[in-house]
Amino acid sequence: MNVRSLPRPGGRSARVQAAVHQATRELLDQRGRAALTVPLIAARAGVTPSTVYRRWGDLNELLADVALEQLRPETPPADTGSVEGDLQAWAEQYFEEMSSVGMAMVQDVLSARMGSETAPGCACAGITAGQIAAIVERGIARGQAVPSVEAVMDGVVAPVVYRLLFGPAPATPGLVRAWVAACMARATVQPPAQATPAQPAEA
Amino acid sequence: MNVRSLPRPGGRSARVQAAVHQATRELLDQRGRAALTVPLIAARAGVTPSTVYRRWGDLNELLADVALEQLRPETPPADTGSVEGDLQAWAEQYFEEMSSVGMAMVQDVLSARMGSETAPGCACAGITAGQIAAIVERGIARGQAVPSVEAVMDGVVAPVVYRLLFGPAPATPGLVRAWVAACMARATVQPPAQATPAQPAEA
């Protein structure tokens, strides 16, 4: 994604984004992805198609932006009092989300990225890393042993997404629990100075 | 991918596939992906566009098929005498391939899959799993402790591909070595009866 999808809050820009996002979500529910076009979305949102093209570039970018908006969490990860408890609760929810609406989102985001020249790095991964970073920072503040954010991304997030994209079979709750436990087995106590910073744009 | 991409060896079907694959590879080298069209490839291969559409469906499927052909290994994984040695040698090579031509392949395959209704599961993952299964079976035959094929897919292949697709940064040789070592730390001796079968179509 890109800055066009991050307008300043308030003002016409934010109103247009809200209207276009809502129109997209409603049309997705009512007609499905195959029927969606930029003119159809623009008409429902009460803007011109050129407004949509100017901000989002194309339908893939818009769908990816809407999907990311839905992925963006409204609340910090649940606080269970322990890092492993927090990670297990978060991972269970992440796995459920990815298993349901998640794949359409991942594919929208990848489609948008495939067409773009953006450097490696993806807002969806940033959002996920931000959630993990919040759990890790909470654990560091409690003086508890924590895995690195990267270890959780590599050890838990990557296989969940890889299996959804490539198979042979989706992950299971039991596998996800085992992956989190394996990360915790390599957890270490970190001085606060070494806290892994959350992704600024996402956390 | 689908059965259309796996013609019986010999005969016109195989000759057409070889000609179309070669034409596609040559045009990719000479003109790049953006310039490729099915009529252009068909003309160079000396077949009609409808022949290409009939077998491959569309350009994405053809590009994915060609990419998979390049991914398909000509030799079994190197035999270093130990499972960890074999896995480390294989993982290093896999990481190098994916870091270079791999991403275009992954994106071709995903683009083809996004448009298709195929069930989860992907020929590229099957090829990779087949290579790992060959190493695991060799280790079992030697009476050595082995990880499961799934453990290597989840622990090594998934983070390599996830990082290439989503960032924030590609894996490193050091990370890949550590991921293989982590799989080996959970390796167990298996009776031959429990050998993980290689993917029939690929291994």
Side-chain angles (χ1 to χ4, degrees):
Chain A
M1 303 311 304
N2 50 49
V3 293
R4 287 175 307 175
S5 59
L6 298 169
R8 286 187 306 285
R12 179 172 184 283
S13 174
R15 285 197 305 277
V16 167
Q17 167 150 338
V20 170
H21 274 213
Q22 184 181 344
T24 305
R25 287 192 302 270
E26 289 170 359
L27 287 167
L28 275 171
D29 293 342
Q30 292 165 20
R31 310 201 189 182
R33 303 161 51 75
L36 283 197
T37 65
V38 166
L40 190 68
I41 292 166
R44 189 183 188 98
V47 302
T48 64
S50 63
T51 299
V52 174
Y53 289 120
R54 203 160 45 240
R55 175 173 298 174
W56 283 278
D58 62 20
L59 182 60
N60 271 341
E61 286 257 1
L62 171 57
L63 287 171
D65 193 27
V66 169
L68 287 169
E69 197 59 41
Q70 293 172 308
L71 186 72
R72 206 162 269 123
E74 281 126 27
T75 59
D79 187 342
T80 68
S82 78
V83 174
E84 176 146 19
D86 290 359
L87 280 176
Q88 290 289 8
W90 165 82
E92 183 181 340
Q93 187 181 10
Y94 175 78
F95 172 59
E96 281 169 14
E97 282 170 10
M98 293 304 286
S99 302
S100 54
V101 298
M103 280 320 295
M105 182 276 296
V106 169
Q107 295 189 339
D108 289 333
V109 171
L110 281 175
S111 306
R113 277 169 50 71
M114 285 180 199
S116 74
E117 294 304 319
T118 53
C122 173
C124 54
I127 292 169
T128 304
Q131 291 277 291
I132 297 165
I135 292 171
V136 168
E137 286 163 2
R138 208 155 55 193
I140 290 170
R142 294 192 203 110
Q144 297 169 334
V146 294
S148 70
V149 172
E150 293 66 31
V152 180
M153 293 295 288
D154 294 330
V156 180
V157 173
V160 164
V161 172
Y162 181 91
R163 281 171 167 260
L164 285 170
L165 282 174
F166 299 104
T172 63
L175 273 170
V176 173
R177 278 192 298 275
W179 293 334
V180 170
C183 288
M184 288 308 297
R186 296 190 296 279
T188 56
V189 175
Q190 307 271 339
Q194 291 179 26
T196 311
Q199 315 275 326
E202 310 298 347
Chain B
M1 303 312 305
N2 49 47
V3 293
R4 289 175 305 177
S5 60
L6 298 169
R8 287 187 305 285
R12 178 171 185 285
S13 174
R15 285 197 305 277
V16 166
Q17 167 150 339
V20 170
H21 273 211
Q22 184 181 347
T24 305
R25 287 191 301 269
E26 290 170 357
L27 287 166
L28 275 170
D29 293 341
Q30 294 166 18
R31 309 201 189 181
R33 303 159 53 75
L36 283 198
T37 65
V38 167
L40 191 68
I41 292 166
R44 191 185 189 97
V47 302
T48 63
S50 64
T51 299
V52 174
Y53 289 119
R54 203 160 46 240
R55 174 172 297 174
W56 283 278
D58 63 19
L59 183 61
N60 271 341
E61 286 258 1
L62 172 57
L63 287 170
D65 193 27
V66 170
L68 286 169
E69 196 60 39
Q70 293 172 308
L71 186 71
R72 203 164 272 124
E74 281 125 29
T75 59
D79 187 342
T80 69
S82 78
V83 174
E84 175 146 18
D86 290 0
L87 280 176
Q88 290 288 9
W90 166 82
E92 182 180 341
Q93 188 180 10
Y94 175 78
F95 172 59
E96 280 170 14
E97 282 170 8
M98 293 304 287
S99 304
S100 54
V101 298
M103 280 319 295
M105 181 277 297
V106 169
Q107 295 187 338
D108 289 333
V109 171
L110 281 175
S111 306
R113 277 168 52 70
M114 285 179 197
S116 75
E117 295 303 320
T118 52
C122 174
C124 53
I127 293 169
T128 305
Q131 292 282 99
I132 297 165
I135 291 171
V136 168
E137 286 162 3
R138 209 156 52 194
I140 291 168
R142 295 192 201 109
Q144 297 169 333
V146 294
S148 70
V149 172
E150 293 67 30
V152 180
M153 293 296 287
D154 294 331
V156 180
V157 172
V160 165
V161 173
Y162 181 91
R163 281 171 168 260
L164 285 170
L165 283 173
F166 299 103
T172 63
L175 273 170
V176 173
R177 277 193 299 276
W179 293 333
V180 170
C183 288
M184 288 307 298
R186 295 189 297 278
T188 56
V189 176
Q190 308 270 339
Q194 291 180 25
T196 309
Q199 315 275 326
E202 310 298 347

